Amino acid sequence: MKALVHVTLKQQVLDPQGKAIARACASLGYEAVTSVRQGKLFEVRLDAADEVAARNLANELCEKLLANTVIEDYEVVRLDP
Amino acid sequence: MKALVHVTLKQQVLDPQGKAIARACASLGYEAVTSVRQGKLFEVRLDAADEVAARNLANELCEKLLANTVIEDYEVVRLDP
């Protein structure tokens, strides 16, 4: 199965990288861009008996390895066979 | 509007960061993980008259700034008001 995971900075955490991108947009003339926040995306292929097991494993990986839960949120957004 | 953008390495491009994560999974005992690929996620807030304009602007930003289209694919996966 393939799990698609989003890891994003918590809303209250500053995102200097996103701010830099937003400034770059403005300097390229894209004044319509008001803010940018950058996160991470993981495509994890894993062996699991069913969707529930796959989701549980993906969540455990996020807790242990993929996300820093002090400053980041994670979400398993999609599971594909 | 808020556009959610995925930027991922093209399938034929090596992803050493993903490989390192997959190895870390194995060394933590998660043998079920067969491969990991890492990508980037952007939440772009922008002023646009409608969904079509927002999607066009988001695609243009990807082409010009957010993605390196030689080695990366991008997709505007969601538009929220």
Side-chain angles (χ1 to χ4, degrees), chain B:
Chain B
M1 280 198 165
K2 192 171 80 172
L4 192 72
V5 176
H6 284 178
V7 175
T8 49
L9 285 170
K10 289 181 192 280
Q11 278 307 322
Q12 65 272 31
V13 177
L14 285 179
D15 177 9
Q17 201 169 7
K19 280 227 182 314
I21 296 167
R23 272 199 305 274
C25 289
S27 72
L28 284 171
Y30 295 105
E31 311 288 349
V33 175
T34 53
S35 86
V36 178
R37 285 181 78 82
Q38 184 171 354
K40 282 175 280 187
L41 179 72
F42 298 97
E43 274 181 25
V44 183
R45 284 187 188 278
L46 39 86
D47 297 326
D50 54 32
E51 279 216 358
V52 175
R55 188 171 292 273
N56 287 344
L57 177 56
N59 280 324
E60 203 177 320
L61 285 173
C62 287
E63 287 283 343
K64 293 246 176 95
L65 187 73
L66 300 179
N68 173 353
T69 54
V70 178
I71 57 167
E72 289 172 327
D73 291 321
Y74 64 84
E75 188 187 3
V76 180
V77 289
R78 211 170 65 211
L79 284 170
D80 295 319

Side-chain angles (χ1 to χ4, degrees), chain A residues 20-54:
Chain A
I21 296 167
R23 272 200 305 274
C25 290
S27 73
L28 284 171
Y30 296 105
E31 311 287 349
V33 175
T34 53
S35 87
V36 178
R37 285 181 78 81
Q38 185 171 355
K40 283 174 281 187
L41 179 73
F42 298 97
E43 275 181 22
V44 183
R45 285 189 185 275
L46 40 84
D47 296 325
D50 54 32
E51 277 215 0
V52 175

Side-chain angles (χ1 to χ4, degrees), chain A residues 54-68:
Chain A
R55 188 172 291 275
N56 287 345
L57 176 55
N59 280 323
E60 203 177 320
L61 284 173
C62 288
E63 287 283 340
K64 293 246 176 96
L65 186 72
L66 300 179
N68 174 353

